[in-house]
Amino acid sequence: MDRTELAGWFAGRLPDDWFTGPVELTVDRDEITVVGTLAEPAAGEGDAAAARAGRIERFREETRGRRMAIADAAQERYGRSVAWGAACGDTRQLFTHASVPVMTRLRQPERLVLDTLVDAGVARSRSEALVWAVRLVGRHADDWLTELREAMASVEKVRGRGPQ
């Protein structure tokens, strides 16, 4: 999937007044996640975090129909479901998004790691322990994963210029 084309497609489809800038697009084999930044509520009386959360909820409710129409068109075009989210200040919320099962085969040493996490109460099941471990690795290897994704994008560009 050409990410530049995808970003352009969404930029052309999204109303200009929804977000304060370009949206953040995250794409995997199953889903496209679109997260836009909303304008901060005016400073006033009350809790700022509650105002941001309220702004996100209002956006979600008021734009539902148009977001779903855009998502349907994107799914038809790109063959992936579309999830939405919004950020306002330091508050970020993803709306309905996919939870995709992933099958794997683990040998005993890897199963023992998961079982230790379950036995210690870190997770309720091996599945939850695996999610915990993936998140931990993702958090600590973020720079390396970002560099790897950029390298893969460069390879895709070179492939795209090659013979068809």
Side-chain angles (χ1 to χ4, degrees):
M1 173 176 297
D2 182 348
R3 290 176 188 271
T4 304
E5 192 271 338
L6 179 71
W9 188 87
F10 273 99
R13 286 296 197 124
L14 295 172
D16 294 334
D17 62 340
W18 276 10
F19 304 116
T20 60
V23 295
E24 171 191 323
L25 295 171
T26 306
V27 181
D28 68 9
R29 293 179 181 131
D30 304 297
E31 183 176 45
I32 299 167
T33 303
V34 182
V35 178
T37 301
L38 304 174
E40 288 268 358
E45 306 214 13
D47 182 54
R52 290 182 191 113
R55 173 72 47 102
I56 291 171
E57 282 302 315
R58 184 180 77 194
F59 170 79
R60 183 179 187 185
E61 292 165 7
E62 290 178 355
T63 63
R64 182 173 279 119
R66 290 184 74 189
R67 284 186 297 106
M68 293 306 99
I70 293 168
D72 289 344
Q75 185 167 351
E76 177 75 22
R77 183 178 182 108
Y78 298 107
R80 291 170 171 87
S81 63
V82 176
W84 295 89
C88 186
D90 60 357
T91 304
R92 181 183 171 97
Q93 181 182 351
L94 288 181
F95 309 150
T96 305
H97 52 283
S99 179
V100 179
V102 178
M103 299 297 292
T104 186
R105 295 184 185 276
L106 299 176
R107 301 221 183 270
Q108 189 176 37
E110 292 88 12
R111 293 192 312 266
L112 287 172
V113 170
L114 299 180
D115 291 343
T116 300
L117 294 171
V118 172
D119 293 343
V122 172
R124 292 179 302 216
S125 65
R126 283 180 171 175
S127 177
E128 193 175 282
L130 188 56
V131 169
W132 182 88
V134 168
R135 286 182 182 152
L136 183 65
V137 169
R139 199 171 312 128
H140 292 291
D142 197 40
D143 292 340
W144 180 80
L145 290 172
T146 299
E147 187 177 338
L148 183 61
R149 287 183 187 113
E150 290 170 355
M152 290 174 7
S154 295
V155 169
E156 286 301 317
K157 286 179 186 177
V158 172
R159 282 185 185 152
R161 292 192 305 252
Q164 298 299 322

